[in-house]
Amino acid sequence: MNEILMGLTAVMTPYNLFICVAGLFIGVLFGALPGFSATMAVAIFVPFTYSMEPGSALLLLSGLYCGGVYGGSIPAVLLGIPGTPASAPTALEGNALVRKGQAGKALHLVTLASVFGGFVSALCLLVGSGLLAQVAMMVGQPEQMFITIFGLSVVIMLSEDNLYKGVMVAIVSLILACFGQDPIEGFPRFTYGFSALISGLNVTSVLIGLFSLPEVFKMLEDPFGKIAESGKVGSMKMKLSELKASLYNAIRSTLIGVGVGIVPAAGPDIAAFMAYNQAKKASKHPEQFGQGADEGIVAAESGNNGATGGSLIPLLTLGIPGSAPAALFLSAMILHGVRPGPTLFTEHAETVYTMIIGFAVINLLMYFVGMIYCKAGSMILKIPKAILATSIVVLAVVGTYSTNRNMFDVWVMFGAGVIGYIMIRNDFPIAPIALALLLGSNMEKAWSVTKTLYEGELYMIFTRPLTVALALFTVVSFAFPLYKMYRKHKNKTKAAKAADTEVK
Amino acid sequence: MKKALSLILASALTLTMAGCTITIGGGLGDGTATTGGDVSSDGSFYAGKTVTMIVPWAAGGGADTAVRLVCDYAEDILGCTIVISNVAGGGGSIGLQQLVTSNPDGLTLAYVANTDSNGDVMLEGITYTVDSFAPVCVFAEDPHIIVASKDSGITDLASLEAAGASGETSWGIGGAWTHWDFLKMEFEEATGTNYHRVVYDGGTTAITDVASGDCDVATPFISEAMSQIDAGNVVPVAVTSAERNPSCPDIPTLAEQGLDGFDSTMWRGVVAPAGTPESYLREFAEAVGEACQNPELLERAQTAGTTISFIGYDEFQDYFMENHESVRSYVEQADF
């Protein structure tokens, strides 16, 4: 309690509050620009924090991180281009709402869900970090392996309309995730003699191309039109009853987010997909998903922001970063002598509690910063598509190049964009690519360690209780949607046979 | 004397040719060396210029942190501006490829570590060889800490060696084809032992698995290991450098425990493209050497978990080649 008050007073100084707001403003901007990401925002500002107090430095980075994850959802709603992979499921729904003239409502919903997810995850971090650290410790390599496979089961849901195409895309993408050195022997695979492929395809570049360029090509099919034909953004007002209806969904999605965040190998992007998946399973109107379902937006956004706090748990208690921005947090903390690990909470209590309380405050402030951006951002719907498309391509190229200063990544980005457009025009879902690329390499790493640790007696992994539970989840998550589809199919044929007499 | 004269002449010439660069860079320098005349009179090549330091790894990583720290101080001594350029990808090869194809004018340098000169045998599609580089200096040597799980019963070198007799004790490394791999091979060769190699994606993941008992032994860096050691979750066995480390003075070296002369660290250094004039590189190396004695830098480095240790220009020429040959022979013998 003492530490909490200490943290609260540290955050509530004008300087630190200013730092939080500044971090948010910059973070949201980075997240919102296609091609730029939360990771870049944190990477650029890490050197700036060297001269700051450790507490303030971590507050700035937290603001950038939370803002970046949230910011990605603004273009996801408005343009159907997720600013960061974590907003990919939001893009599936948001764009449909814009076409219905409900952009304002969608943005408000996104903001509220993000604030809720982020704030609750900060509370979980504050109250349960000790307990959750125990959980994080229990998640060894065999558990991580099952979690990644579990994550892949979301592909089935994403491609319910055309299961074979979806699964095919996922399998090809898993092979793409194998490009580069194999994790055990360092043998280069699928590199075709290019040294640039030694570390594999850069997932960020692929995703930037895949999500931004096809939308650009679509815009160019009608270059003089505007995104919202009527120029109507729609009211931002929402009814209380609508909020109440989403509350349960938001709580569930946030908890999924926190849980996924704890797993070292998965971050906000995977959390968003999983929460979206569960929301669709639990929904009374699953057929609305993809056509602008509020539930989908709420789930994805509270899920990915829930993971921001969750991913700090393995970072703070074990020193293991759960996502790329978390890895940068780690190096900033080490540089300030605030070394993450089991002794962090005793040795650096003030800094840590400043950061955690700051995390909660930042998420509340995010509502106000977010609404400013949403108001301003909705203007882009009125810009002619030709101008918009050009700016997006410029941003995508600059963003891709500046991450690694590497021209090869830019070609990868363009390649992914062209392939993505061809896929969309032929009704292949592109979301499974994101999922498979993000999970593929982690799955391989976890599998290779598990395999070497349990060499010759792989069945012994089932002596770990958590592994058994996760393995069962995984089996169910693959089987359940298939069973549901089978039943639907059977009902349909039955209904057809029984003609008019037996209408379901 | 003759050498000094030629040095002055050479730098004067370069300065006249690169007049443009000087005016731009001069404003960014410390203000004492803004005109060409001042610079050439004290024989300094770097004063007032802008140097690009390629770090072939992502911003925020261990390599990046160490380079930025040292360059921060070397910059003031040289009176120049050092721009850190993170060119990541290709297992470090893309940045080094960019270095070897750049002008050998002393203004483009790169970060280098133990295994980089062997890219042509370890990676694929690499066109540069050890001869493409001109070694400049080493500024840090990071030791590993050998830690063991509490269940393993390993507490010192003797019990570690005993556990390595059967080949069943698992030894977690932070990545294939990195210094982690070569450290394991060196240790096995020195003690005649054999461990079960488990490849993780970093030292922290490895030590976490040691803390939970899934893996028996791991060799993380100091910054990755200290918190788990302080919390009593793992048993520290030894540091791999020749001398004890100031960050953890209680942990004995392998040499102290009977493994005479064992010294294996991950060194971090600077290289230039082959053909860069030696006088420039000497100037740069000397400045880094001076920076490495700054107590403020040493303190900041210790906080960041890096062990500053300087190897000058002359010594590094041989050290670089010896290290190259040693790594090459391990790569060629490697049998996983």
Side-chain angles (χ1 to χ4, degrees):
Chain A
M1 196 61 214
N2 201 8
E3 288 94 353
I4 294 176
L5 286 175
M6 200 161 68
L8 197 62
T9 37
V11 176
M12 286 301 166
T13 58
Y15 176 70
N16 279 347
L17 278 179
F18 169 74
I19 294 264
C20 294
V21 175
L24 275 172
F25 262 103
I26 301 166
V28 176
L29 187 67
F30 269 81
L33 294 176
F36 290 66
S37 63
T39 318
M40 274 170 74
V42 179
I44 289 174
F45 282 89
V46 164
F48 281 89
T49 63
Y50 290 175
S51 56
M52 298 165 86
E53 285 286 304
S56 312
L58 292 175
L59 285 179
L60 176 65
L61 298 181
S62 307
L64 291 166
Y65 181 29
C66 296
V69 171
Y70 159 74
S73 54
I74 298 177
V77 169
L78 294 174
L79 305 172
I81 300 175
T84 59
S87 302
T90 312
L92 297 174
E93 302 300 333
N95 206 226
L97 282 170
V98 172
R99 268 181 265 121
K100 286 187 200 165
Q102 296 180 337
K105 187 183 140 198
L107 285 174
H108 199 174
L109 210 55
V110 159
T111 312
L112 280 174
S114 300
V115 168
F116 182 84
F119 185 69
V120 173
S121 81
L123 291 186
C124 290
L125 190 61
L126 187 63
V127 179
S129 58
L131 188 72
L132 294 172
Q134 296 290 320
V135 178
M137 191 81 171
M138 274 169 73
V139 181
Q141 301 292 328
E143 286 81 16
Q144 290 189 33
M145 182 178 81
F146 276 108
I147 289 165
T148 49
I149 301 174
F150 180 60
L152 280 176
S153 70
V154 177
V155 168
I156 297 185
M157 185 280 303
L158 284 174
S159 45
E160 238 169 33
D161 307 331
N162 199 330
L163 188 65
Y164 297 110
K165 279 184 177 173
V167 171
M168 195 171 101
V169 169
I171 290 173
V172 172
S173 310
L174 280 177
I175 295 173
L176 290 178
C178 294
F179 277 33
Q181 286 180 298
D182 93 286
I184 298 186
E185 291 180 15
F187 186 81
R189 302 170 301 188
F190 301 108
T191 55
Y192 307 102
F194 285 116
S195 62
L197 276 172
I198 292 278
S199 320
L201 291 169
N202 185 325
V203 179
T204 327
S205 323
V206 174
L207 296 186
I208 291 174
L210 197 62
F211 287 126
S212 327
L213 294 187
E215 294 301 322
V216 168
F217 296 141
K218 275 196 224 162
M219 287 180 200
L220 293 180
E221 289 167 3
D222 168 29
F224 301 106
K226 296 183 181 107
I227 298 272
E229 282 307 335
S230 52
K232 210 177 98 192
V233 176
S235 159
M236 281 204 166
K237 287 202 186 91
M238 284 188 6
K239 291 194 207 88
L240 200 64
S241 60
E242 282 177 308
L243 291 183
K244 262 191 197 152
S246 301
L247 188 65
Y248 176 66
N249 180 5
I251 294 174
R252 181 188 55 228
S253 306
T254 304
L255 292 181
I256 293 174
V258 175
V260 171
I262 294 174
V263 178
D269 21 39
I270 306 299
F273 275 109
M274 285 203 182
Y276 182 76
N277 187 27
Q278 291 305 322
K280 188 174 178 183
K281 274 186 193 164
S283 171
K284 289 194 188 92
H285 307 285
E287 72 283 352
Q288 281 179 6
F289 276 69
Q291 318 293 331
D294 291 355
E295 289 166 297
I297 293 189
V298 171
E301 287 306 312
S302 38
N304 65 27
N305 285 282
T308 55
S311 68
L312 288 184
I313 289 168
L315 176 73
L316 296 179
T317 57
L318 300 173
I320 296 181
S323 58
L328 293 164
F329 258 92
L330 177 67
S331 68
M333 293 179 79
I334 289 177
L335 210 89
H336 281 289
V338 185
R339 198 162 282 161
T343 53
L344 179 71
F345 282 79
T346 46
E347 276 175 18
H348 300 282
E350 187 174 350
T351 313
V352 176
Y353 281 98
T354 306
M355 179 178 173
I356 296 177
I357 302 271
F359 221 80
V361 173
I362 283 168
N363 275 293
L364 292 179
L365 290 172
M366 197 159 81
Y367 179 76
F368 303 102
V369 175
M371 289 313 273
I372 294 173
Y373 270 101
C374 287
K375 279 251 154 65
S378 26
M379 306 288 184
I380 61 172
L381 294 182
K382 295 174 185 167
I383 298 174
K385 284 183 185 171
I387 298 175
L388 202 57
T390 317
S391 337
I392 293 171
V393 173
V394 171
L395 286 172
V397 172
V398 173
T400 312
Y401 180 74
S402 55
T403 315
N404 282 340
R405 296 191 204 188
N406 176 341
M407 210 47 209
F408 183 78
D409 287 351
V410 178
W411 299 124
V412 168
M413 189 270 294
F414 277 119
V418 172
I419 293 172
Y421 181 67
I422 298 173
M423 286 174 62
I424 290 178
R425 279 284 165 255
N426 290 293
D427 285 324
F428 280 91
I430 57 170
I433 303 185
L435 209 59
L437 282 184
L438 289 166
L439 288 169
S441 59
N442 283 329
M443 182 167 79
E444 193 186 7
K445 276 180 214 150
W447 158 243
S448 67
V449 173
T450 308
K451 197 180 66 181
T452 27
L453 280 179
Y454 289 90
E455 200 160 35
E457 38 182 335
L458 201 59
Y459 53 87
M460 287 295 281
I461 59 172
F462 294 110
T463 56
R464 304 166 72 108
L466 203 57
T467 307
V468 176
L470 287 167
L472 286 175
F473 267 134
T474 310
V475 172
V476 171
S477 70
F478 272 101
F480 180 71
L482 291 177
Y483 172 72
K484 225 167 80 176
M485 269 187 258
Y486 166 75
R487 266 221 348 227
K488 215 161 99 191
H489 182 73
K490 214 169 111 185
N491 280 346
K492 239 192 228 160
T493 40
K494 217 195 253 169
K497 265 185 202 160
D500 344 56
T501 44
E502 200 184 354
V503 182
K504 208 206 156 222
Chain B
M1 190 60 220
K2 214 172 161 188
K3 207 169 171 184
L5 197 74
S6 67
L7 203 127
I8 294 169
L9 278 175
S11 47
L13 197 72
T14 336
L15 286 170
T16 345
M17 289 196 299
C20 193
T21 330
I22 296 168
T23 13
I24 299 166
L28 300 164
D30 59 3
T32 54
T34 38
T35 61
D38 289 348
V39 179
S40 57
S41 66
D42 63 6
S44 144
F45 166 72
Y46 282 100
K49 297 209 171 124
T50 304
V51 180
T52 306
M53 175 68 77
I54 299 174
V55 177
W57 305 99
D64 183 60
T65 310
V67 173
R68 279 178 197 271
L69 212 55
V70 170
C71 285
D72 203 14
Y73 291 85
E75 219 171 34
D76 293 342
I77 296 165
L78 289 164
C80 69
T81 308
I82 302 177
V83 178
I84 310 283
S85 172
N86 297 91
V87 185
S93 67
I94 295 178
L96 290 176
Q97 189 73 47
Q98 194 170 317
L99 173 87
V100 299
T101 50
S102 64
N103 252 343
D105 55 5
L107 296 179
T108 311
L109 304 169
Y111 165 88
V112 71
N114 303 49
T115 54
D116 290 327
S117 62
N118 279 297
D120 53 334
V121 287
M122 288 163 47
L123 307 173
E124 203 184 36
I126 307 286
T127 49
Y128 57 79
T129 64
V130 65
D131 300 324
S132 315
F133 301 108
V136 182
C137 63
V138 166
F139 58 85
E141 289 182 281
D142 287 330
H144 297 254
I145 298 186
I146 302 180
V147 295
S149 74
K150 286 197 276 190
D151 308 336
S152 67
I154 299 168
T155 51
D156 55 7
L157 178 63
S159 48
L160 181 61
E161 279 185 68
S166 64
E168 275 173 14
T169 305
S170 49
W171 178 301
I173 63 171
W177 283 142
T178 54
H179 186 249
W180 270 294
D181 236 340
F182 299 106
L183 168 70
K184 176 172 175 282
M185 290 188 232
E186 283 169 30
F187 182 81
E188 285 175 340
E189 197 180 64
T191 54
T193 50
N194 178 24
Y195 300 87
H196 190 53
R197 175 174 173 269
V198 187
V199 187
Y200 289 89
D201 61 349
T204 325
T205 337
I207 196 177
T208 308
D209 256 17
V210 171
S212 70
D214 284 346
C215 185
D216 300 318
V217 180
T219 55
F221 288 115
I222 290 178
S223 58
E224 296 163 334
M226 285 321 287
S227 188
Q228 294 281 14
I229 293 175
D230 290 345
N233 293 343
V234 295
V235 183
V237 178
V239 283
T240 61
S241 52
E243 279 159 31
R244 290 194 184 202
N245 195 282
S247 298
C248 49
D250 299 336
I251 304 174
T253 64
L254 282 170
E256 279 174 53
Q257 300 184 52
L259 211 53
D260 279 338
F262 192 92
D263 180 15
S264 179
T265 55
M266 158 107 174
W267 55 261
R268 306 176 187 278
V270 178
V271 282
T276 312
E278 192 185 319
S279 57
Y280 302 170
L281 303 184
R282 280 185 187 278
E283 186 190 337
F284 195 87
E286 272 164 32
V288 172
E290 203 182 318
C292 289
Q293 285 170 356
N294 186 326
E296 198 183 296
L297 167 69
L298 293 175
E299 197 192 310
R300 278 179 70 188
Q302 194 174 338
T303 326
T306 285
T307 308
I308 294 293
S309 165
F310 178 70
I311 299 179
Y313 182 82
D314 291 313
E315 207 187 326
F316 186 39
Q317 304 302 314
D318 298 336
Y319 187 79
F320 186 74
M321 285 315 292
E322 269 169 38
N323 171 79
H324 173 78
E325 297 301 333
S326 145
V327 169
R328 204 169 190 91
S329 71
Y330 279 117
V331 173
E332 276 155 11
Q333 296 163 20
D335 172 26
F336 299 139

